[in-house]
Amino acid sequence: MNIKKICVVTGARSEFGLIVNLLRELKKSKKLKLFLVVTGMHLMKEFGNTYKEIENEGLKIFKKIKISDSILNKNYVEKSVGNGVKKFSKIFKKIKPDLVCIPCDRYEMLGPAISSYLANIPIAHFYGGEITKGSQDDITRNVITKMSNLHFVNHSSHRKRVIQMGENPKNVFLVGNMVVDNILS
């Protein structure tokens, strides 16, 4: 049996909470091998080192990739993205994943997205097509959407928006909000 390597990247408590049940299912799979990579705010003391919450969930962290020490650093976002591209390129060469899963729309996801895209590693993006008016999140989300191969959206209007961006409708899946799975479990 050919086991597929799935690399999931998480950078903040907010999106980790959305994907925790997906991670549990990937962990149980006999056909998929989960490589959980933690970055961003999870590794910052000022945000409570929330990687510990991931470990408390019984999920094994394959790699912690620190892209910045503090959001108080000058040019924090630019440095985080640049460091992310460099560091994720190295880790993807090591893992050789069949798929990289990127949740949401935060800037710390740009590094892994760019690295995956440039290495021709397929990307599964969660929560594309949403709108956050007046926020950088919209642009980041749309950039990640355009680099992605598979799209898992939570509303029919989001699916329509992703398709309007030129994505193949066969690759855009309406799965609903994964928070519902958290509530039901």
Side-chain angles (χ1 to χ4, degrees):
M1 176 170 50
N2 188 13
I3 296 176
K4 299 289 184 185
K5 298 180 201 175
I6 309 298
C7 179
V8 179
V9 182
T10 178
R13 175 189 286 159
S14 56
E15 40 85 349
F16 172 73
L18 298 173
I19 63 169
V20 67
N21 279 322
L22 171 66
L23 294 170
R24 289 179 187 138
E25 292 301 314
L26 289 171
K27 178 183 168 187
K28 290 191 288 187
S29 175
K30 296 191 184 324
K31 296 179 181 180
L32 305 171
K33 180 165 175 60
L34 172 62
F35 290 85
L36 181 58
V37 180
V38 175
T39 192
M41 293 190 332
H42 283 306
L43 304 178
M44 292 183 182
K45 185 178 180 180
E46 63 207 90
F47 292 103
N49 288 321
T50 55
Y51 72 87
K52 294 174 185 175
E53 293 177 24
I54 296 169
E55 293 172 337
N56 290 339
E57 285 289 337
L59 295 164
K60 181 182 175 218
I61 297 172
F62 175 76
K63 185 77 173 170
K64 296 174 189 164
I65 298 182
K66 193 165 190 118
I67 54 176
S68 182
D69 292 328
S70 171
I71 62 168
L72 302 176
N73 290 345
K74 187 176 180 182
N75 301 323
Y76 163 74
V77 173
E78 298 93 322
K79 288 178 182 177
S80 295
V81 173
N83 287 336
V85 171
K86 285 189 272 187
K87 292 180 177 186
F88 278 94
S89 292
K90 287 180 185 175
I91 197 69
F92 292 155
K93 284 179 185 171
K94 180 178 180 179
I95 298 171
K96 295 182 176 64
D98 295 293
L99 182 72
V100 173
C101 297
I102 298 181
C104 299
D105 50 28
R106 292 189 45 86
Y107 58 84
E108 57 262 90
M109 294 297 117
L110 285 171
I114 292 167
S115 298
S116 300
Y117 176 76
L118 293 176
N120 292 315
I121 302 167
I123 300 170
H125 183 220
F126 297 87
Y127 297 101
E130 296 184 4
I131 294 176
T132 312
K133 292 188 180 197
S135 167
Q136 285 184 330
D137 292 353
D138 273 349
I139 294 169
T140 303
R141 183 183 311 109
N142 292 341
V143 167
I144 295 171
T145 294
K146 290 305 297 177
M147 287 189 278
S148 298
N149 307 85
L150 301 170
H151 310 273
F152 298 93
V153 300
N154 74 8
H155 193 273
S156 58
S157 65
H158 304 158
R159 182 176 190 275
K160 182 179 177 182
R161 206 169 288 120
V162 169
I163 292 167
Q164 286 174 333
M165 291 175 68
E167 299 305 306
N168 185 338
K170 292 179 182 178
N171 295 334
V172 184
F173 304 93
L174 176 58
V175 296
N177 195 320
M178 290 188 268
V179 170
V180 175
D181 295 329
N182 294 349
I183 293 168
L184 295 175
S185 68

